[in-house]
Amino acid sequence: MSETVTASEAPRENYLNRDHSVASWLLTRDHKRIAILYLIGISIFFALGGLMAVLIRAELATPQGDLFPADVYNRLFTMHGILMIFFFLIPSIPAVLGNFLIPLMVGAKDLAFPRINLLSWYLYMVGASFTFVSMLWGGIDTGWTFYTPLSTTFATGQVLLTAVGIFIAGFSSILTGLNFIVTIHRMRAPGLTWFRLPLFVWAHYATSIIQVLGTPVIAITILLVGAERLFHIGVFDPKYGGDPVLFQHLFWFYSHPAVYIMILPAMGVISELVTCFSRKKIFGYHFIALSSLAIAVLGFLVWGHHLFISGQSVVAGTIFSFLSMFVAVPSAVKVFNWTATLYKGSVSLETPMLYALGFIGVFLIGGLTGVMLATLGIDIHVHDTYFIVAHFHYVMVGSAIMGYLGGMHFWWPKITGRLYPAFISKVAAVVVFIGFNVTFLPQFILGYLGMPRRYHTYAPEFQTWNVMSSAGATVLGIGYLLPVLYLLWSLKYGEKAPANPWHATGLEWQTASPPPLENFEVTPVVTEDPYSYPDGTLRPKEVPVGV
Amino acid sequence: MRTDTNPHGVDPVRMYVSIFGGLMALTALTVGVSFIDFAHHLPSGWLNVYNDAAAMAIALSKALLVVTFFMHVRHATRLTKIVIAGSMTFFLFLFAFTLADYFSRGWLGPPGK
């Protein structure tokens, strides 16, 4: 590959300083600027969703309903779920890091459809605005799952407005996925064959397939909820010949694979981090790449495990139980390959690597409890308890946010051209890991003891574990706040970043930090396999990794 | 498949008119069969779904016409055809597993019942 460009050689004009006008940002077709726009958008909605989590945990610190009546509490956890899932977790890594990095990683000047990319961001913002207005207007209390007949017949909140918001944002997701698929197929640099692609790109390719194939189903399902609510068309209402369980089939056909929209990109990030900070070629490249596709396909065949006690037939439940356990195989392939990569590697505990190791830990717990929940008998025992809450937070929140933060810390010098403080960022990574586990491990115990989810009051014997969970949430909140502060600080005061501060492989590190408008001065030519680190070689000591 | 007389995959207008006519005829057929209760005329089996099957068959035929001719898939590359086949496969997953639930209700009860 070509020589790296140092900071002093970096061109003075880059995508950030080329034009400072507001119009140049709002009308940009540059994938890097659109990634920054997404970063701002998802950060706002993460903060809002996080604020609701704080209120939920504050309420649950005592067994009584001290702070909110039941109805307000229902609206709080519903909007927390909707904001976090549809407007943070699903777009987080693909729309920010994927948008920024995929053209760079494949050696292209931009995504295949730059205008559609900008349209995706506008659709996301319009959808999020609808949902935000619905919140201000009283919100909804259906849970993020919109289960019928509650959502169609009995709920009194802004169901339609919120549904419209999610419907619109869904198109943003579809168009982003489409853009990635076409870019990866058509715009790879000369010599960049499929099996020379970074695993981050493979993970996003698999994610995009889910986005394109699954999202239309949730869009139609939400439309049907709206039509049922307005016109009583009778798709889900037994009074008119419909079936509420049909809603659950349609909803989970998308919403279970949506978990993989959140986790697969994070897995892509972790593959990059583990190999880079082990200074070792990744173990089992082909298996990791193809396991992403296997997860994308198998992820569509397991939705029925959400319906084990919803009236689904025992035969279907048994089939879905088996398939749900089967999806653990490609997930485990990744975990084993990451740990095998660490073996005899020259592991350095830089901030991104701390998040990567944290990811492996929390994903292991989330994944293994997933296998437990795929077992019919156990699932029936803990159904609708805090065990479920803890499980999906370990997978969707712990793992996906560990991946997101790890990726942000890894590519922040590339994105902004600035280094962040190394020590405080490592402290933050440890605080996030501790805070997360103190928050959610007690919830496994609470759930197993029988505490149901979605109630604002609970039996007094559950209080100790709830106080521990709320205390952990405070620690976690501090852990999330720290990166916001020091990353913003670094924009003005951080040391200028060289092109390749981590001495990583990959085309994105072969161009300046931040990259020029069209990414590369000359179209790169790829001549070797990815991750060609000299196995186990220590990184040169003079390489700057922080200020 | 492209031919020498049709090198760019552009079809004559009369073809589109014919397909449009076909779609209209199939729409009329959908309306027509909705007035027939097949269950009265055919032997009733364990699945009394003749009307549904007829409506779905017509809808599928219409979708195939639209995809093949109006969306120009018959002139498309092999990759496009693979994408469509893949999408249809996932669509079938949705139908097959959902129907697997509906058709198998009552086959097995909960343990002990």
Side-chain angles (χ1 to χ4, degrees):
Chain A
M1 295 208 182
S2 60
E3 289 291 308
T4 56
V5 182
T6 63
S8 57
E9 295 166 349
R12 298 176 89 183
E13 187 176 90
N14 58 57
Y15 82 99
L16 286 171
N17 65 13
R18 191 167 175 271
D19 188 343
H20 292 287
S21 67
V22 174
S24 75
W25 278 91
L26 294 180
L27 300 175
T28 184
R29 279 169 282 154
D30 179 6
H31 67 103
K32 300 181 289 298
R33 283 196 166 197
I34 293 170
I36 302 289
L37 291 175
Y38 266 115
L39 174 61
I40 295 167
I42 67 160
S43 299
I44 291 169
F45 292 107
F46 177 70
L48 274 173
L51 178 67
M52 287 165 186
V54 168
L55 296 175
I56 290 167
R57 284 316 319 169
E59 170 63 70
L60 292 174
T62 62
Q64 307 82 25
D66 306 303
L67 299 178
F68 311 108
D71 181 53
V72 174
Y73 182 80
N74 290 349
R75 286 164 200 264
L76 268 179
F77 74 68
T78 298
M79 297 311 293
H80 164 72
I82 288 173
L83 286 177
M84 285 301 204
I85 288 171
F86 292 110
F87 299 103
F88 174 69
L89 286 168
I90 286 176
S92 60
I93 297 179
V96 179
L97 295 175
N99 238 325
F100 194 95
L101 292 165
I102 284 178
L104 283 162
M105 285 181 165
V106 302
K109 291 179 178 176
D110 208 316
L111 286 172
F113 307 116
R115 285 187 180 85
I116 287 180
N117 197 21
L118 181 63
L119 174 66
S120 301
W121 181 74
Y122 276 104
L123 288 171
Y124 166 80
M125 291 306 290
V126 170
S129 303
F130 268 87
T131 307
F132 184 62
V133 168
S134 84
M135 273 171 49
L136 297 179
W137 214 338
I140 59 171
D141 60 354
T142 60
W144 80 276
T145 48
F146 288 90
Y147 268 19
T148 56
L150 176 60
S151 62
T152 49
T153 309
F154 300 108
T156 55
Q158 302 298 326
V159 177
L160 283 178
L161 201 55
T162 311
V164 168
I166 293 170
F167 181 81
I168 294 170
F171 282 91
S172 165
S173 191
I174 293 169
L175 294 178
T176 300
L178 187 69
N179 228 332
F180 286 175
I181 289 173
V182 177
T183 304
I184 295 166
H185 269 273
R186 308 289 298 180
M187 298 178 70
R188 301 192 307 276
L192 188 58
T193 58
W194 279 93
F195 286 116
R196 282 180 175 170
L197 281 172
L199 291 165
F200 180 89
V201 177
W202 270 104
H204 276 75
Y205 184 73
T207 306
S208 301
I209 290 172
I210 303 174
Q211 286 176 301
V212 170
L213 291 177
T215 315
V217 177
I218 190 74
I220 294 289
T221 308
I222 286 178
L223 270 188
L224 288 172
V225 167
E228 184 95 1
R229 202 173 158 83
L230 284 174
F231 309 116
H232 310 292
I233 56 173
V235 176
F236 304 127
D237 191 342
K239 197 162 65 180
Y240 305 105
D243 180 13
V245 178
L246 177 62
F247 170 84
Q248 296 184 30
H249 277 295
L250 296 174
F251 178 83
W252 288 112
F253 180 78
Y254 165 77
S255 295
H256 189 80
V259 173
Y260 301 108
I261 296 178
M262 303 170 211
I263 195 76
L264 271 170
M267 290 170 159
V269 170
I270 302 308
S271 297
E272 300 293 323
L273 302 186
V274 166
T275 180
C276 174
F277 293 104
S278 301
R279 317 310 296 173
K280 198 169 160 234
K281 198 175 177 76
I282 199 154
F283 186 88
Y285 169 90
H286 292 82
F287 276 89
I288 297 182
L290 296 176
S291 66
S292 291
L293 292 181
I295 289 173
V297 173
L298 289 171
F300 272 103
L301 307 179
V302 302
W303 80 83
H305 64 227
H306 296 273
L307 284 73
F308 281 163
I309 68 155
S310 298
Q312 178 181 247
S313 78
V314 177
V315 173
T318 308
I319 295 169
F320 280 121
S321 173
F322 170 77
L323 289 169
S324 301
M325 291 182 192
F326 199 61
V327 81
V329 175
S331 304
V333 163
K334 287 183 187 292
V335 174
F336 286 129
N337 281 320
W338 292 327
T339 46
T341 305
L342 293 171
Y343 180 66
K344 288 191 174 176
S346 174
V347 177
S348 56
L349 298 177
E350 306 293 352
T351 310
M353 186 60 161
L354 291 179
Y355 282 110
L357 296 175
F359 174 98
I360 294 173
V362 295
F363 179 70
L364 201 63
I365 296 174
L368 289 175
T369 50
V371 178
M372 285 174 70
L373 292 171
T375 313
L376 280 158
I378 295 177
D379 186 82
I380 289 167
H381 177 62
V382 297
H383 184 88
D384 262 352
T385 69
Y386 263 84
F387 196 93
I388 306 293
V389 177
H391 159 70
F392 72 69
H393 276 86
Y394 262 86
V395 176
M396 286 160 43
V397 184
S399 306
I401 295 186
M402 288 279 179
Y404 176 66
L405 287 175
M408 284 303 291
H409 283 82
F410 188 53
W411 285 291
W412 186 258
K414 178 58 60 186
I415 294 170
T416 65
R418 299 284 178 164
L419 298 173
Y420 51 83
F423 178 73
I424 186 72
S425 62
K426 290 181 185 179
V427 171
V430 174
V431 169
V432 167
F433 183 78
I434 292 171
F436 180 83
N437 282 292
V438 176
T439 305
F440 292 105
L441 267 178
Q443 295 184 12
F444 278 123
I445 298 164
L446 282 168
Y448 207 78
L449 292 174
M451 178 172 163
R453 61 190 287 209
R454 292 178 167 169
Y455 287 90
H456 75 316
T457 58
Y458 53 84
E461 62 261 33
F462 295 136
Q463 188 173 11
T464 306
W465 295 111
N466 269 298
V467 169
M468 194 183 292
S469 181
S470 294
T474 311
V475 176
L476 185 59
I478 293 168
Y480 288 153
L481 191 61
L482 283 173
V484 175
L485 297 177
Y486 64 73
L487 290 178
L488 286 174
W489 175 89
S490 77
L491 291 177
K492 190 166 173 61
Y493 302 106
E495 191 181 310
K496 286 195 173 171
N500 191 357
W502 312 112
H503 278 215
T505 63
L507 291 177
E508 79 271 28
W509 301 107
Q510 310 298 313
T511 189
S513 302
L517 180 67
E518 294 190 332
N519 294 343
F520 300 95
E521 302 296 329
V522 180
T523 301
V525 176
V526 180
T527 55
E528 56 188 20
D529 289 340
Y531 313 118
S532 49
Y533 294 103
D535 280 2
T537 305
L538 286 170
R539 187 214 317 271
K541 285 190 177 162
E542 67 277 12
V543 174
V545 291
V547 293
Chain B
M1 186 69 70
R2 292 178 184 174
T3 64
D4 290 337
T5 53
N6 186 16
H8 304 296
V10 177
D11 293 310
V13 173
R14 68 174 181 280
M15 194 274 297
Y16 290 105
V17 173
S18 308
I19 299 298
F20 178 74
L23 289 170
M24 288 297 105
L26 286 168
T27 304
L29 190 61
T30 306
V31 175
V33 298
S34 71
F35 290 102
I36 304 168
D37 187 356
F38 287 106
H40 279 298
H41 304 285
L42 294 167
S44 62
W46 63 280
L47 286 176
N48 204 2
V49 293
Y50 299 116
N51 280 77
D52 291 344
M56 288 302 290
I58 297 168
L60 194 63
S61 307
K62 289 164 76 176
L64 277 174
L65 286 175
V66 171
V67 169
T68 310
F69 294 98
F70 284 175
M71 294 173 74
H72 297 169
V73 167
R74 69 190 189 126
H75 301 303
T77 61
R78 188 190 295 178
L79 180 61
T80 305
K81 288 174 182 167
I82 290 171
V83 168
I84 290 166
S87 308
M88 288 308 297
T89 305
F90 279 84
F91 189 62
L92 286 176
F93 285 157
L94 171 63
F95 267 66
F97 282 92
T98 302
L99 291 177
D101 166 28
Y102 285 99
F103 289 164
S104 64
R105 285 186 191 174
W107 286 10
L108 281 176
K113 294 193 178 176

